[in-house]
């Protein structure tokens, strides 16, 4: 699989990880210091609950300490590797939470932990462009129409499900689903053409 | 949906895409993750999509987690108390300080010292709870020595309480309703006498919380106002 060339920061993180694998506590401290606010941002935006987000991070770093040696530099960059793990754990928990909510048909949602992003927080669409810019995938994101772009951004950064997307964007469920599907297909075609990632 | 691998490649690709994006519903999500553990084709499809979407994750702004996160991680892993070990941790980082309200500056600095360095200020065998609000920033620190009866509650960056209101401290016992520890007296440091030594008083209590109540505290024995802060009790021994 094609991986973008490592940045200076990635190289530093990979070096730190290899030292963590040898039990170097200072390296672990520095690794935490360089990665935790990025990962916490990812987790908090999805889970909207500080203590749940902290718990996911806690597990992630405990795993880093114990399994730093299993990180494969050839397959992905350190922060990408860890971000994927954290995002997946958050999404697992979020989707499971919805499953429980449906079972209990709890319509009194007042107890749900609320996360109000600060008013100066960038919109999902802005984050999508910023993320794209960071690795020159901007052209591909730019090919998306406004609707699919918005839907993909909300799903990616805030973990919205199809029905939540429909609610948020005030569109029928079917429309939102096809936006997501078409958006993803278009992204894939464009990114693969740019040699970004290719199935093995 | 079929339990076996989706036979059409397009179908698998769409499922993998939605897995990586996050929109796949719970059951389908779990099923696909399980399949990926044994089926390399499924695993490959997931990895491709995760890789493809990963640059987007860089777009979200970072948010600094509460200092207690590192403390808990270090505690769990039995790392040596941080002294000269980690060169650049949050308490000497500009971004962290900028994130704290000026009012909380001095107190938070003291907190950083007392919690993370073995100084005589906190007994070595202490129980500590860092109470945080919705923004995940520390507002109050409760601490007590293992053999003490007086719980000290320090305001780090707590809300200003109007004259007709009061902050009330609660224990959150496992599987039971909150139990009051009393109204917090006004001031930077409050002292609350526990009914017993912490090992007994906090035996089944994983966390503390603070609610905003009418002056004099809740009249029902349960929190009536909103819960402003909460935090886990951490046993530092």
């Amino acid at each position: 699989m094609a991986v973008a060339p490592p940045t200076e920061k990635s190289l530093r993180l990979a070096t730190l990880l290899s030292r963590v694998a040898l039990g170097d506590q200072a390296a672990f401290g520095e690794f935490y210091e360089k990665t935790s606010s990025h990962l916490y941002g990812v987790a908090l935006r999805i889970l909207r609950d500080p203590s749940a987000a902290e718990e996911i991070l806690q597990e992630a770093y405990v795993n880093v300490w114990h399994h730093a040696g299993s990180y494969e530099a050839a397959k992905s960059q350190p922060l990408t590797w860890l971000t994927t793990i954290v995002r997946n754990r958050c999404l697992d928990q979020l989707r499971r939470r919805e499953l429980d909510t449906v079972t209990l048909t709890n319509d009194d949602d007042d107890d749900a932990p609320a996360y109000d992003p600060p008013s100066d927080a960038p919109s999902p669409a802005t984050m999508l462009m910023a993320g794209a810019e960071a690795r020159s995938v901007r052209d591909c994101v730019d090919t998306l129409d406004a609707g699919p772009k918005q839907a993909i951004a909300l799903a990616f950064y805030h973990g919205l499900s199809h029905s939540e997307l429909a609610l948020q964007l005030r569109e029928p469920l079917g429309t939102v689903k096809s936006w997501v599907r078409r958006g993803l297909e278009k992204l894939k075609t464009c990114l693969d053409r740019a040699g970004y990632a290719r199935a093995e | 949906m079929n339990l076996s691998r989706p036979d059409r490649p397009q179908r698998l690709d769409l499922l993998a895409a939605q897995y990586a994006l996050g929109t796949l519903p719970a059951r389908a999500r779990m099923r696909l993750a399980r399949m990926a553990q044994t089926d390399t084709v499924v695993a490959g499809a997931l990895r491709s999509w995760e890789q493809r979407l990963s640059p987007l994750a860089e777009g979200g702004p970072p948010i600094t987690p509460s200092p207690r996160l590192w403390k808990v991680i270090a505690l769990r892993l039995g790392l040596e108390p941080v002294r000269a070990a980690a060169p650049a941790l949050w308490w000497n980082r500009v971004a962290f300080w900028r994130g704290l309200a000026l009012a909380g500056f001095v107190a938070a600095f003291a907190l950083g010292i007392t919690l993370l360095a073995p100084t005589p200020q906190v007994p070595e065998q202490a129980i500590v709870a860092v109470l945080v609000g919705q923004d995940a920033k520390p507002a109050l620190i409760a601490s007590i020595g293992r053999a003490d009866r007086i719980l000290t509650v320090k305001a780090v960056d707590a809300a200003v309480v109007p004259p007709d209101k009061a902050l009330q401290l609660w224990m959150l016992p496992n599987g039971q309703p909150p139990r009051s520890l009393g109204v917090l007296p006004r001031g930077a440091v409050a002292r609350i006498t526990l009914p017993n030594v912490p090992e007994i008083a906090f035996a089944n209590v994983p966390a503390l919380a603070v609610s905003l109540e009418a002056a004099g505290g809740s009249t029902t024995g349960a929190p009536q106002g909103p819960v402003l802060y909460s935090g886990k009790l951490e046993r530092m021994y």
Side-chain angles (χ1 to χ4, degrees):
Chain A
M1 191 178 301
V3 175
T7 60
E8 204 174 304
K9 186 182 176 188
S10 287
L11 289 173
R12 176 72 189 150
L13 290 179
T15 307
L16 288 172
L17 272 183
S18 60
R19 281 167 48 195
V20 171
L22 301 173
D24 183 332
Q25 299 192 7
F28 185 59
E30 191 184 338
F31 185 82
Y32 176 91
E33 196 265 330
K34 284 191 158 64
T35 52
S36 56
S37 42
H38 169 75
L39 293 177
Y40 187 63
V42 168
L44 188 59
R45 274 187 290 277
I46 293 178
L47 293 174
R48 287 160 255 176
D49 174 356
S51 61
E54 278 182 21
E55 234 154 79
I56 298 273
L57 255 68
Q58 203 193 111
E59 289 309 316
Y61 281 104
V62 167
N63 279 327
V64 165
W65 177 252
H66 289 307
H67 305 292
S70 68
Y71 160 70
E72 292 175 82
K75 284 197 174 157
S76 62
Q77 294 175 15
L79 196 55
T80 309
W81 170 65
L82 208 51
T83 304
T84 305
I85 293 174
V86 164
R87 270 195 86 240
N88 277 334
R89 297 276 152 78
C90 290
L91 289 165
D92 287 345
Q93 197 179 104
L94 189 68
R95 293 288 162 260
R96 260 204 306 272
R97 218 191 269 168
E98 282 155 13
L99 208 61
D100 296 342
T101 314
V102 173
T103 326
L104 298 170
T105 56
N106 181 4
D107 49 14
D108 176 19
D109 227 9
D110 284 354
D111 302 338
Y115 167 62
D116 296 314
S119 52
D120 59 345
S123 75
T126 311
M127 291 192 258
L128 194 63
M129 292 316 288
E133 199 161 36
R135 301 264 284 263
S136 345
V137 216
R138 186 173 188 135
D139 289 348
C140 290
V141 171
D142 253 343
T143 62
L144 299 180
D145 295 329
K149 194 189 285 182
Q150 185 76 2
I152 284 178
L154 282 167
F156 188 82
Y157 293 107
H158 294 288
L160 264 57
S161 64
H162 285 138
S163 45
E164 287 169 329
L165 286 173
L167 215 61
Q168 177 87 20
L169 299 172
R170 295 189 190 136
E171 292 286 343
L173 187 60
T175 306
V176 166
K177 279 187 179 175
S178 92
W179 277 355
V180 169
R181 200 180 55 236
R182 278 191 293 129
L184 287 169
E185 278 165 3
K186 210 163 173 182
L187 266 185
K188 183 190 180 193
T189 314
C190 184
L191 289 172
D192 289 1
R193 198 184 305 133
Y196 212 81
R198 208 164 285 123
E200 286 129 308
Chain B
M1 204 189 309
N2 197 322
L3 262 176
S4 65
R5 181 209 303 173
D7 27 336
R8 285 180 302 145
Q10 293 96 322
R11 173 90 185 130
L12 171 61
D13 195 59
L14 179 61
L15 287 173
Q18 304 218 359
Y19 179 94
L21 181 64
T23 50
L24 210 58
R27 288 181 223 283
R29 184 174 175 82
M30 290 188 274
R31 200 155 45 220
L32 203 63
R34 237 189 348 258
M35 265 187 256
Q37 287 174 356
T38 51
D39 189 325
T40 53
V41 176
V42 175
L46 289 190
R47 234 191 356 261
S48 291
W49 268 106
E50 285 170 346
Q51 197 79 37
R52 229 174 247 129
L53 296 183
S54 66
L56 303 179
E58 286 171 27
I63 304 174
T64 306
S66 150
R68 73 173 174 188
L69 177 60
W70 170 257
K71 189 167 63 73
V72 172
I73 292 168
L75 214 59
R76 265 188 71 178
L77 296 176
L79 304 185
E80 282 156 27
V82 183
R83 266 171 298 226
L89 283 157
W90 57 81
W91 60 84
N92 44 32
R93 242 176 54 207
V94 180
F96 172 68
W97 290 119
R98 240 189 268 130
L100 281 175
L102 196 60
F105 186 96
V106 176
F109 186 72
L111 161 73
I113 306 273
T114 47
L115 287 182
L116 290 149
T119 69
Q121 279 167 298
V122 166
E124 203 132 319
Q125 301 207 318
I127 299 168
V128 178
V130 180
L131 299 155
V132 304
Q134 287 282 323
D135 57 1
K137 284 184 190 151
L140 297 162
I141 315 294
S143 64
I144 186 169
R146 199 175 177 179
D148 294 346
R149 291 275 299 276
I150 311 281
L151 181 73
T152 305
V153 183
K154 285 185 196 160
V156 179
D157 192 10
V160 177
V161 181
D164 58 332
K165 299 277 186 190
L167 296 178
Q168 189 163 357
L169 184 65
W170 303 86
M171 297 188 281
L172 304 176
N174 269 327
Q176 286 168 36
R179 280 213 307 278
S180 177
L181 282 172
V183 168
L184 292 175
R186 284 166 191 276
V189 181
R191 292 188 169 81
I192 302 266
T193 307
L194 295 187
N196 213 320
V197 290
E199 240 153 311
I200 295 166
F202 292 154
N204 185 35
V205 178
L208 300 179
V210 166
S211 68
L212 184 66
E213 303 289 341
S218 164
T219 50
T220 61
Q224 292 171 295
V227 172
L228 299 185
Y229 313 116
S230 62
K232 282 187 186 157
L233 278 168
E234 279 139 24
R235 290 162 174 81
M236 327 259 292
Y237 49 82

